[in-house]
Amino acid sequence: MKTMFKKGMLGALFATAAFAAAPALQAQETVKFGLFHDFTKVYTFVADEFSQGQRDYLTLINEEGGIKGQKFEAIVRDHGNEPQRGLELYNRAREEGAIYFMFLSTPVANAVVPRALQDKVVLGTPLHGRGDTMVGETFPYVFPMMASYWSQAARLLKYVEDTQGGLKGKKIAHVHIDTPFGREPLPILEKLAQQKSFELRSFAYPSPGNEQSAVWSDVRRYRPDFVLIWGAGNSQMVSVREAVRNGIDPAKILSVVWLTETDMKNIGESTAIGAKRVEVVQPGRDHPIIQRILDKVYKAGKGAGPEARVGNTYYNYGVADMVIATEGAKLALEKLGPPLTGEKLKAGMEMIRNLDTKGFMPPVTITPQDHQGGGQARVSQWDGKAWVPVSDWAAAYQDVVWEEARASAAKFSQGK
Amino acid sequence: MFYRLSGVHHTRYEDTRRLWPIPTDRRLVAVLFLLALSAPLWLSELYLQNYLLPWLIWSAATLSLTLLMGVAGQLHFGYAAVMAIGAYSAIHLVRLGVPFELAFIGAGLVAAVIGCLFGAAALRVKGLYLVMATLAMQYLVDWVIVNVPAISGGAHATLQAPEARVLFFSFADGFTRYYFAFFWAVFMTVFLLNTKRTSFGRALVAIRDKDYAASVIGVSPFKYKLLAFFTSSFFGGMSGAVLAFCFYRAVTPEQFGFNVSTQLVAMVLVGGLGSVIGAYLGAAFVLLTPMILSNGIAALSDAGWLSVSANLLAHLPLMIYGALIIGFLLAEPLGLAKIYDNMRNYFLVWPFKHSRR
């Protein structure tokens, strides 16, 4: 009898949950964005801040009266980095009328790509997903929007070339997490190594990268001129710490975008002064957009999370993602008129020309061919308190990046 | 009363030996079969493609794993790798121009051969040590996929499932995907139900209970342990191919990581070791509960009945999910299948609880 009672209770619970979860089909009053994250498993280091930035920016737009009277609504859910849950969220949100989707998880985004192409809704893949989606002809509904990992690697090498008087004869170590993400820049690096005749060696440490000491003693023996570190979350902190322990000058460390002020503080503010990273959005609060958010969203008590996070690197990435998406929505509404659909939003995104954010991010130009938005990025350096830019926004070696992307996109088309 | 026995007279040996000797069980199975068969008619696209379809596929995979873990007693913590081998083999074979039907079997064969190689460890080690050996398989397969671009599909390590047809039906069509997965699950169910009644199945059970004793009575542990790994990996690989073609339609190594292996083991354990209905219940629990909980809680929050921070909101379903697992296993350590069995036993004699079953 006891078991029976429990069963009944659970049955009731499930039934309620299922009913409550049934999608409420209502008239489309707001433009719905499905902004899904992995809050609980792998990408937790970025999800909270990124999502807060996205929601705050949409709140800001709504507080300011929306765009052409259209308000925006964010559907925020957790997919736990599991493709099957991401697909469920995608389909549910699509039934609710969402036209823009972002998952911030490579496995989920990759599973959604073929569906988004079929369903004609916009999938934003800033800083995740497959890099070849920048080829707009092959992936008309997928928008990486910011410099891909390939462009980031190219930008870092360009920085070395510019500051060191050329790459010829340099020894570059690529220390990466042994996952597809860590290996992703390798084709670009190898190609550039041939073109610019520098020496490249890659060092892989096993995922999740909490233990890397064996790899770093190899790196030390290799005596590289520069070290690229390609990981995310905790593994980046371990990389920086191990590099310093192995006597590598922090100024020689060049990191992928995933390295923040929080990471540096956890490592020890003064441990790795001089470490450099590539960035695609300006961090900090010293910018009109962030000031507007503080002023109109947080003063009104409508912030989506703790105010202390505002201005953090990942927070600003979330804001930037929404700045580009809402700009696309604005252009679509202006040129094509309401109601907004996935097809119109796609057309609007492709109309973005030299989006001027007053230095918040590089000027973004998205065309039907180029969904990367120009691929500009810059290098910044940790001074013990903050990340200080040491280069201008610029795109680097885009010919090599595009050649690789086109080749990869061609393979995608063949597979269909 | 509900599972009425009175008036059921078996006059032939075949009748007593059939799969479901009690008429109520037969009717239940028939109703479930018809419900699933007609699901596209009464279930919305969302629930069909995102709940029922993956549930059937994962149930089929759980069934093939339960053959190994539940029936033959060989622990396997790298089953996602077996499915990965099947998924990648099927996609590559179809890309090479092999018809899907052959590629499907080929996927099973490749998975079975590689699964057998690692299964050979079972000839020497048992229990936790076998877990280690199968874990090694998981990591080796992951490593090979990630490090060989020809397998993983280039720098992005994403491989699209190519256009394929099975018996003239294209996988681009949602119905084909559903019915193919459905019939695959039905096939696996019938296969496992019958396997347990064959000499092969009984030999596996003998190995599970005590391999030394089994060899004394003439059951060769060498042969049957390898056969168990071969059969299970064969069907696991095929289930992986079904997953790739019918559900994901694009494969990445992360879809078959270690966490997926643990989920599969959880499906087998929560459902009930060696039980067919347990495989379905376990897969439903592990796969669908997190989705339902997380949607339910998000809906509560949207309706304003639950005001907690976004972070807690995301973790709340996990907490409830964890509590549910503990709760179920405390209530019935033998799994969900045993809970169903208890209920069935209760109704078998209800309302005459005092009577002999």
Side-chain angles (χ1 to χ4, degrees):
Chain A
M1 211 47 225
K2 210 171 70 182
T3 354
M4 293 260 313
F5 174 69
K6 279 182 191 160
K7 187 88 184 168
M9 287 280 285
L10 278 164
L13 183 78
F14 281 164
T16 337
F19 263 104
L25 285 169
Q26 42 183 278
Q28 175 105 5
E29 312 126 341
T30 53
V31 178
K32 285 183 180 144
F33 282 9
L35 307 175
F36 307 119
H37 286 270
D38 169 14
F39 289 111
T40 47
K41 303 273 167 66
V42 181
Y43 294 81
T44 46
F45 66 97
V46 42
D48 285 335
E49 288 186 6
F50 201 102
S51 171
Q52 190 181 337
Q54 289 179 318
R55 280 179 284 167
D56 283 347
Y57 189 73
L58 288 186
T59 313
L60 175 70
I61 296 280
N62 290 341
E63 290 293 301
E64 292 178 343
I67 293 176
K68 298 237 148 203
Q70 293 269 344
K71 300 264 170 113
F72 290 82
E73 181 188 338
I75 306 173
V76 181
R77 300 278 186 275
D78 170 43
H79 55 61
N81 200 31
E82 290 175 21
Q84 73 266 19
R85 287 180 63 186
L87 289 175
E88 191 262 346
L89 289 174
Y90 166 77
N91 282 308
R92 186 177 290 276
R94 206 165 53 82
E95 284 197 355
E96 287 176 30
I99 53 169
Y100 177 87
F101 295 86
M102 209 235 39
F103 293 89
L104 204 69
S105 148
T106 296
V108 177
N110 286 351
V112 172
V113 164
R115 287 164 169 87
L117 293 178
Q118 199 181 340
D119 300 334
K120 296 192 174 14
V121 288
V122 176
L123 173 68
T125 58
L127 308 174
H128 69 282
R130 42 190 302 163
D132 59 354
T133 49
M134 60 204 253
V135 182
E137 294 100 327
T138 314
F139 300 96
Y141 284 88
V142 187
F143 290 83
M145 301 188 289
M146 298 175 191
S148 69
Y149 291 124
W150 285 343
S151 297
Q152 290 172 30
R155 184 69 190 91
L156 287 169
L157 289 182
K158 180 80 182 146
Y159 171 78
V160 174
E161 189 180 35
D162 291 348
T163 51
Q164 305 289 312
L167 279 161
K168 201 174 162 65
K170 290 272 181 297
K171 283 166 96 176
I172 310 257
H174 177 63
V175 185
H176 64 90
I177 190 164
D178 202 4
T179 62
F181 152 68
R183 308 181 66 85
E184 192 166 339
L186 279 173
I188 297 292
L189 295 175
E190 277 158 11
K191 240 181 208 167
L192 285 172
Q194 252 177 9
Q195 268 185 21
K196 306 275 168 187
S197 48
F198 62 86
E199 202 182 305
L200 173 77
R201 203 166 136 195
S202 67
F203 300 84
Y205 56 82
S207 176
N210 296 328
E211 170 52 47
Q212 307 174 12
S213 46
V215 173
W216 282 97
S217 48
D218 280 353
V219 177
R220 184 186 58 198
R221 263 177 245 134
Y222 179 61
R223 298 178 168 278
D225 291 314
F226 282 93
V227 184
L228 295 174
I229 56 169
W230 222 263
N234 191 44
S235 76
Q236 287 289 83
M237 282 191 267
V238 178
S239 285
V240 174
R241 227 180 260 139
E242 288 287 341
V244 172
R245 203 200 326 260
N246 280 284
I248 289 167
D249 177 8
K252 290 179 176 175
I253 300 175
L254 304 169
S255 166
V256 64
V257 283
W258 305 122
L259 189 66
T260 63
E261 48 286 315
T262 321
D263 295 334
M264 297 310 278
K265 276 170 196 156
N266 288 345
I267 295 164
E269 281 181 347
S270 55
T271 310
I273 290 179
K276 300 185 185 73
R277 68 165 186 191
V278 61
E279 64 185 25
V280 292
V281 176
Q282 174 184 314
R285 294 181 167 195
D286 190 16
H287 191 276
I289 295 179
I290 303 298
Q291 287 303 322
R292 259 160 67 210
I293 290 180
L294 283 170
D295 201 39
K296 292 186 179 149
V297 178
Y298 279 88
K299 280 216 181 112
K302 292 186 175 171
E307 193 175 337
R309 277 196 200 139
V310 177
N312 280 354
T313 303
Y314 298 157
Y315 178 92
N316 286 12
Y317 283 172
V319 173
D321 162 50
M322 284 297 101
V323 169
I324 302 176
T326 50
E327 176 69 16
K330 190 180 109 192
L331 290 169
L333 285 168
E334 275 171 5
K335 301 270 162 60
L336 305 165
L340 213 51
T341 62
E343 275 163 307
K344 283 185 190 170
L345 180 60
K346 174 222 177 227
M349 300 277 287
E350 288 175 347
M351 284 187 247
I352 297 176
R353 295 285 177 278
N354 279 318
L355 173 61
D356 179 19
T357 50
K358 301 193 173 59
F360 188 59
M361 56 184 151
V364 179
T365 298
I366 300 178
T367 66
Q369 290 80 38
D370 175 8
H371 280 191
Q372 190 193 198
Q376 295 195 27
R378 72 180 177 196
V379 180
S380 66
Q381 190 170 27
W382 178 251
D383 72 352
K385 288 271 171 291
W387 291 95
V388 185
V390 291
S391 85
D392 289 328
W393 298 115
Y397 309 125
Q398 287 296 299
D399 48 338
V400 181
V401 171
W402 275 92
E403 193 186 323
E404 194 64 31
R406 290 228 167 79
S408 174
K411 270 192 215 156
F412 176 88
S413 316
Q414 276 169 14
K416 284 179 87 180
Chain B
M1 176 179 156
F2 290 102
Y3 296 85
R4 199 158 57 87
L5 292 169
S6 68
V8 179
H9 303 292
H10 298 297
T11 50
R12 296 180 310 157
Y13 287 120
E14 287 81 22
D15 286 346
T16 50
R17 285 210 305 256
R18 60 198 298 186
L19 273 179
W20 296 285
I22 300 178
T24 316
D25 281 334
R26 275 205 298 281
R27 278 181 216 126
L28 261 178
V29 170
V31 166
L32 287 176
F33 179 84
L34 288 175
L35 274 179
L37 192 67
S38 61
L41 298 177
W42 54 269
L43 204 60
S44 81
E45 184 75 8
L46 174 70
Y47 287 91
L48 185 73
Q49 296 291 343
N50 295 291
Y51 288 77
L52 196 52
L53 175 70
W55 179 32
L56 287 173
I57 302 174
W58 286 106
S59 299
T62 311
L63 282 169
S64 45
L65 179 59
T66 211
L67 173 72
L68 189 63
M69 280 183 59
V71 181
Q74 308 298 314
L75 299 174
H76 201 314
F77 273 58
Y79 209 67
V82 174
M83 293 175 70
I85 297 169
Y88 276 94
S89 311
I91 288 184
H92 280 296
L93 283 172
V94 172
R95 287 197 159 200
L96 289 174
V98 180
F100 177 79
E101 294 82 354
L102 292 180
F104 187 46
I105 295 170
L109 284 175
V110 176
V113 169
I114 300 177
C116 241
L117 283 180
F118 286 90
L123 301 173
R124 298 297 299 270
V125 292
K126 277 183 227 167
L128 283 176
Y129 301 95
L130 183 57
V131 167
M132 294 307 290
T134 50
L135 264 182
M137 171 180 186
Q138 173 74 49
Y139 282 105
L140 271 174
V141 170
D142 274 358
W143 189 87
V144 169
I145 292 176
V146 171
N147 283 273
V148 182
I151 297 179
S152 69
H156 304 300
T158 310
L159 206 57
Q160 299 294 317
E163 280 294 329
R165 295 174 162 273
V166 56
L167 305 174
F168 315 111
F169 298 105
S170 163
F171 277 113
D173 185 13
F175 287 119
T176 313
R177 296 204 295 273
Y178 173 72
Y179 281 113
F180 187 68
F182 170 63
F183 285 115
W184 176 243
V186 170
F187 170 79
M188 281 308 300
T189 309
V190 175
F191 172 80
L192 198 67
L193 282 172
N194 281 312
T195 298
K196 290 208 259 184
R197 317 189 298 165
T198 58
S199 63
F200 171 57
R202 278 190 269 271
L204 294 187
V205 171
I207 301 276
R208 174 188 72 193
D209 289 347
K210 189 84 194 164
D211 53 0
Y212 184 65
S215 75
V216 169
I217 57 168
V219 174
S220 156
F222 178 82
K223 182 179 159 193
Y224 282 100
K225 276 185 180 173
L226 279 187
L227 264 180
F229 270 94
F230 187 90
T231 319
S232 170
S233 304
F234 183 73
F235 289 121
M238 287 168 104
S239 298
V242 178
L243 192 65
F245 274 88
C246 292
F247 185 59
Y248 286 145
R249 296 166 73 198
V251 288
T252 63
E254 292 100 333
Q255 287 166 353
F256 302 98
F258 171 62
N259 55 330
V260 181
S261 280
T262 49
Q263 279 182 336
L264 277 160
V265 172
M267 286 174 187
V268 170
L269 290 181
V270 174
L273 268 174
S275 148
V276 171
I277 186 168
Y280 281 90
L281 295 176
F285 186 82
V286 174
L287 186 74
L288 304 182
T289 315
M291 287 191 213
I292 295 172
L293 279 177
S294 133
N295 280 321
I297 285 178
L300 282 183
S301 159
D302 288 351
W305 293 351
L306 189 74
S307 58
V308 290
S309 77
N311 200 339
L312 181 59
L313 198 66
H315 285 86
L316 211 50
L318 279 185
M319 297 179 194
I320 300 177
Y321 177 58
L324 278 178
I325 292 185
I326 297 174
F328 273 125
L329 287 182
L330 277 181
E332 184 51 74
L334 294 180
L336 297 171
K338 184 65 185 164
I339 293 181
Y340 170 74
D341 196 44
N342 289 342
M343 284 165 46
R344 185 174 171 277
N345 283 341
Y346 178 83
F347 283 116
L348 202 59
V349 291
W350 184 87
F352 308 109
K353 205 176 171 183
H354 53 276
S355 75
R356 226 157 45 90
R357 285 194 189 110

